[in-house]
Amino acid sequence: MKKITTLVLTTVFFICLATNCDSNDEINLKQEEIIVLNKTELVISQNQTWNLTYMSGGFLGVDQNYNSDIIKWTFDANNSILIITNDDPRNSNYNGLKEGRYQYQIHKLKDETYLFIENSEYGAFILDKNSLLINQNKTITGTISDGFIYKFIK
């Protein structure tokens, strides 16, 4: 009898778990609400370079400071290209994206702005006059707990 009860409870648990997931309809509805910012609504102006100064988070709890001018992200807004240069002599795996050129887009959903790199969501995007914050824990579909937070200055 105990085995049958355990089997029934396990089955009910997995049914509840499967029906509790987001449906594709909900995700599609959210995607329809997303505004892709065009060149007249640019959040980043032409060829702004940002210096990574701090990165934290991830599964292992990375907490890393960087000197200015070591890792640079330059946003070419006219061509939607992100150019990353990395002069970090440590060659760490926790420097974020590898050095190179990437296509990017900025999407806005309600009051939040999100950065997409190579058609993949990279994180919430907060920009003011002299600082840029990318928070990978905030996504269009909700929050996660093991993303990274990147802080940049001009």
Side-chain angles (χ1 to χ4, degrees):
M1 183 69 175
K2 191 172 185 178
K3 287 183 180 182
I4 292 173
T5 305
T6 304
L7 179 63
V8 169
L9 289 175
T10 304
T11 303
V12 169
F13 173 75
F14 282 109
I15 289 172
C16 290
L17 184 65
T19 59
N20 195 25
C21 295
D22 286 340
S23 71
N24 287 339
D25 293 338
E26 290 177 42
I27 293 171
N28 288 337
L29 177 62
K30 288 181 183 178
Q31 288 175 343
E32 289 173 4
E33 296 173 356
I34 297 170
I35 300 167
V36 178
L37 301 180
N38 63 34
K39 289 181 177 54
T40 62
E41 302 174 286
L42 292 176
V43 175
I44 297 178
S45 64
Q46 174 64 11
N47 291 334
Q48 280 190 344
T49 298
W50 296 91
N51 299 289
L52 179 64
T53 58
Y54 180 73
M55 184 176 78
S56 68
F59 182 71
L60 298 176
V62 173
D63 190 22
Q64 181 67 50
N65 288 302
Y66 298 92
N67 291 329
S68 187
D69 293 332
I70 298 293
I71 300 173
K72 299 177 188 176
W73 287 30
T74 302
F75 291 87
D76 177 349
N78 285 335
N79 297 304
S80 299
I81 299 287
L82 168 62
I83 302 160
I84 298 175
T85 56
N86 184 344
D87 296 325
D88 188 358
R90 295 174 292 193
N91 197 17
S92 171
N93 288 333
Y94 299 107
N95 288 343
L97 291 170
K98 300 289 182 206
E99 186 170 89
R101 299 169 63 88
Y102 301 89
Q103 289 283 336
Y104 80 91
Q105 287 182 319
I106 297 172
H107 297 236
K108 189 165 181 77
L109 176 63
K110 298 179 182 169
D111 293 331
E112 294 285 343
T113 306
Y114 300 92
L115 176 64
F116 280 69
I117 298 175
E118 297 293 324
N119 295 319
S120 295
E121 184 176 2
Y122 201 72
F125 187 85
I126 301 168
L127 177 69
D128 68 24
K129 186 175 179 180
N130 293 312
S131 65
L132 166 65
L133 178 86
I134 299 172
N135 184 348
Q136 290 183 328
N137 294 311
K138 284 187 169 183
T139 69
I140 285 178
T141 57
T143 59
I144 61 172
S145 60
D146 60 353
F148 288 96
I149 296 174
Y150 299 91
K151 293 181 181 179
F152 298 83
I153 60 170
K154 276 190 180 179

